[in-house]
Amino acid sequence: MSKIEFLNALRKELKELSENDINQYTQYYSEMIDDMIEDGLSEDNAVAAIGSIDEITAQITEEVSRSVTKEPIAKRKLKAWEIVLLAAGSPVWFSLLVAAFAVVISLLAAGGSVIISFYAASLAFGVSAFGSIPYSIFMFTKGNTAGGIFLLGAGLICAGLAIFAFAGTNKLAKLYIKLCKKTFTWLTSCLKRKENAK
């Protein structure tokens, strides 16, 4: 078998590999044959010394399967029937996509409204404390000791609740902001992946 016949047969057997891999292996064996010819062997003997095509392709296939570095998967174009199927199903999948997006946005909005209501509650406690304590002093001056003590206690309780509610709501708001950032990062990464897939 001549060198050209050997390389053509090798190329046919390696047709499952990428064009780059085929070129590398055929170049390698071409150089090996050339080296043997330079050492004094005839072309036919040099080809015979390399081994049979079946042995070489089995060895190459094993090397490729053990190879750690994987080639990036080539993007395939959509077939006509796939495009038709996507277009026909678009009323269903597009409406589901919009619904899912609306659910995510509404959940985030509901979380935001809960946090705003917690801030409003802590503000209400603060206003109650701000109004109760001075009014209790006014009641003491008027001689209504029981009413003054009650309002002073209620005012101090409202002041404590306002401080705790405000601190807790601040922590909750920070967690909510982190959740919003992660959600929007995830949504933008999904959109970027879809754009790259086109």
Side-chain angles (χ1 to χ4, degrees):
M1 182 185 287
S2 70
K3 174 184 166 183
I4 293 173
E5 290 172 339
F6 172 81
L7 294 176
N8 287 338
L10 182 62
R11 187 173 282 276
K12 281 182 185 176
E13 290 295 321
L14 298 177
K15 64 185 175 192
E16 299 296 322
L17 301 180
S18 68
E19 192 63 33
N20 187 35
D21 284 343
I22 293 170
N23 289 336
Q24 283 181 349
Y25 284 113
T26 52
Q27 180 69 30
Y28 171 76
Y29 284 103
S30 174
E31 289 174 4
M32 188 184 289
I33 293 168
D34 289 341
D35 289 343
M36 289 182 181
I37 291 170
E38 284 179 12
D39 290 341
L41 289 176
S42 66
E43 188 175 308
D44 291 342
N45 289 339
V47 170
I50 288 177
S52 69
I53 295 286
D54 293 335
E55 291 172 357
I56 292 170
T57 52
Q59 182 183 355
I60 290 171
T61 306
E62 188 179 340
E63 283 178 17
V64 170
S65 65
R66 280 187 288 143
S67 175
V68 178
T69 57
K70 293 182 180 176
E71 296 250 344
I73 299 169
K75 294 177 185 174
R76 71 174 186 88
K77 292 184 178 179
L78 292 175
K79 296 176 182 172
W81 67 269
E82 290 173 324
I83 294 170
V84 170
L85 191 63
L86 281 171
S90 64
V92 175
W93 62 259
F94 184 72
S95 59
L96 288 174
L97 188 68
V98 169
F101 182 74
V103 166
V104 169
I105 296 300
S106 62
L107 285 173
L108 290 176
S113 63
V114 167
I115 289 171
I116 289 170
S117 66
F118 284 163
Y119 274 123
S122 64
L123 180 65
F125 285 131
V127 168
S128 298
F130 185 74
S132 297
I133 294 172
Y135 193 68
S136 68
I137 295 169
F138 174 74
M139 290 188 80
F140 281 129
T141 58
K142 290 290 183 180
N144 189 353
T145 308
I149 290 172
F150 175 77
L151 279 178
L152 181 63
L156 290 174
I157 289 171
C158 285
L161 286 173
I163 292 167
F164 283 120
F166 187 77
T169 306
N170 271 347
K171 287 187 178 181
L172 193 62
K174 287 177 184 177
L175 288 173
Y176 173 75
I177 290 168
K178 282 183 184 177
L179 178 66
C180 286
K181 284 181 180 177
K182 285 184 179 179
T183 304
F184 285 116
T185 304
W186 174 75
L187 285 172
T188 52
S189 68
C190 286
L191 291 172
K192 284 179 184 176
R193 269 186 262 146
K194 285 187 178 181
E195 285 176 9
N196 292 337
K198 290 179 183 178

